Amino acid sequence: LSLTGIVIGVFALLVVSSIMNGFDADMRNRVVGSKADIMVYRTDYSPIKEFDKLIEKIENSRGIIAAEAVCKNELMLQNRRNIVSSLCYGVDYDNHREVSSIFDKIRVGIPDSSALEDDGIILGLDMSLTLNVTVGEEIKLTSPIGTEPSPFGLLPRSKKFKVIGLFISGLPEYDKLFSFISLKNSQYFSGLNSEVDHIEVKTDNPDSAPKISSRLNESLGSDYIVEDWSIFDANLFNAIRMEKIVMFLVLTLMIIISAFNMIGNYIKLVTEKKVDIGVLKAIGTSGKTIEQIFIAVGLIIGITGTFLGTISALILLLIQQKWHLIKIPVPGFPLHWLPVDIRWQDFIFVPILVILISYLTTLYPAKKTLKIDTVKTIRN
C-alpha cells in the first residue's frame, strides 16, 4: 500500500506538472506569436524620432534578429451600423513578418505589402464577424482623438480602407481587438510626420528575451524603456504560474499522506517484530545495524515507487505528446488536445523530493528499535 501510494503520488505530480507546463508554453507561444518578443518605448512614451538609427543600433545587438518601427492607434471601425473599437497597428508588411508571426496566421485573403500600403487593412476574424465584413469589402476608420481642420471646423480624422486579410491568432481577445494598416496611414491618424510610437524586436530565442531586454535597456540608456513578452500580459502569466504552484503543493500532500501511512506501517512492523529484533540483539547484532535495516527498507520502497511512478508518467506523457489521445471536446477552444511540455527539471526535482520524504519517514520508527529491551522482550 505504501509503494502504491508513492507510485500514484509521483505519477500524478509529474503528469499534472507537465500538463500545466504545456498550457503555459502554448499560451506563451500564442502571445509571443501575436506580438514581438521585445518592445522599446521612450521613457515618457512620447513619439520616437530618427527611429532608423535606433533600429540599426538594436539590430546590431547580440541575440536580436530583426526590429521594426510601429505606430499604434485606438480607432473606431465602422461598417454600416456595425461599430467596434480596435487597437490598430501601423506596420511595414514585410518587416512585420520578420518580427511577428501574426501574418502567418491569416486564414482568409492573400495580402501583400503593396495591398497594405494601398489603404488595405487586416482584421482579426472575430472583429470581422462583429463588423459583418469580409475580404474585399470597405470599412471606415475614425480616430476619436486625432482631428483635422475642415470647412466645418475640426473633425475627427477618418478614412476608408479595404479589408485584405483575416487572421486567427488563437487568442480570441486579440482577434476581437487587433487590426493592422500601413505605417504611413497610422502616422496620419496619429498626426505624426516621421515619428513612431515604439520599436518591436524579434530575438533568436523567446526564452532569453528577459535577459536580452535587460542588456538592451543598459545599452540604450535612460531615454528608453525596454519590455519583454512576459510584461505584456504579466497578469496572465502570473496566474498560470500561481496555479501551477498551488497544484504542485496540493499534489505534494498526496505524497506526504503516503509518508504518514509509511510511518504508521513501520511503527506497526517494529511492534510486530519485537521478538525478532530482541533475538538479533541477543546474538550480537548492534542497534545501529537494525536501524539501518529499517532505513534500507524505507528507501527501497521509496526508490522503487518513485521509479515506477516516473516511468509510468513519462510513458503516458510521451504517448500524449506524439499521438494526442486525450482530446479537449470544447467547441471554439483554441486547443484540440491536452498540451504536454516535459521538462527535465521536474523529472529530477520530484523524484529527489519523494526519495527524501521516504527516507525521513523511516527515521522515527527506526529509532524506536533502539529502545527495545532485549532481555525483557525474550522473557515475555
Side-chain angles (χ1 to χ4, degrees), residues 43-59:
T43 305
D44 57 357
Y45 293 97
S46 61
I48 300 174
K49 300 178 181 179
E50 298 181 352
F51 56 85
D52 291 333
K53 295 180 180 179
L54 180 60
I55 290 176
E56 184 179 356
K57 184 176 181 180
I58 292 172
E59 290 182 333

Side-chain angles (χ1 to χ4, degrees), residues 132-172:
N132 192 24
V133 67
T134 187
V135 171
E137 298 182 0
E138 287 189 341
I139 59 174
K140 184 179 180 182
L141 270 67
T142 304
S143 172
I145 300 175
T147 57
E148 60 182 349
S150 73
F152 304 99
L154 292 176
L155 296 177
R157 296 179 188 270
S158 182
K159 195 173 184 179
K160 286 190 176 182
F161 286 79
K162 182 179 180 181
V163 179
I164 60 174
L166 305 177
F167 65 83
I168 302 177
S169 67
L171 294 165

Side-chain angles (χ1 to χ4, degrees), residues 231-257:
I231 300 176
F232 303 159
D233 290 277
N235 293 334
L236 174 64
F237 289 110
N238 289 337
I240 294 175
R241 192 176 296 110
M242 181 59 66
E243 187 175 1
K244 181 183 176 182
I245 292 172
V246 172
M247 193 71 71
F248 189 89
L249 293 176
V250 169
L251 291 174
T252 303
L253 290 176
M254 292 177 59
I255 298 174
I256 295 175
I257 292 171

Side-chain angles (χ1 to χ4, degrees), residues 78-184:
Q78 181 178 3
N79 178 38
R80 302 181 183 91
R81 294 185 178 181
N82 301 315
I83 300 176
V84 297
S85 60
S86 172
L87 278 179
C88 191
Y89 291 86
V91 299
D92 180 277
Y93 185 84
D94 295 328
N95 290 341
H96 198 69
R97 294 196 66 172
E98 295 182 8
V99 171
S100 171
S101 61
I102 188 69
F103 289 162
D104 296 332
K105 300 175 182 178
I106 293 175
R107 298 293 180 262
V108 183
I110 309 176
D112 54 26
S113 181
S114 60
L116 192 68
E117 293 291 336
D118 188 21
D119 294 343
I121 184 171
I122 300 173
L123 306 175
L125 182 63
D126 290 351
M127 183 183 295
S128 71
L129 293 175
T130 305
L131 288 171
N132 192 24
V133 67
T134 187
V135 171
E137 298 182 0
E138 287 189 341
I139 59 174
K140 184 179 180 182
L141 270 67
T142 304
S143 172
I145 300 175
T147 57
E148 60 182 349
S150 73
F152 304 99
L154 292 176
L155 296 177
R157 296 179 188 270
S158 182
K159 195 173 184 179
K160 286 190 176 182
F161 286 79
K162 182 179 180 181
V163 179
I164 60 174
L166 305 177
F167 65 83
I168 302 177
S169 67
L171 294 165
E173 294 81 5
Y174 289 3
D175 295 344
K176 293 177 182 178
L177 186 63
F178 290 173
S179 60
F180 297 87
I181 59 178
S182 67
L183 181 60
K184 183 179 179 181

Side-chain angles (χ1 to χ4, degrees), residues 60-73:
N60 290 332
S61 301
R62 180 162 51 92
I64 291 175
I65 298 175
E68 72 150 343
V70 177
C71 192
K72 182 173 69 174
N73 293 282

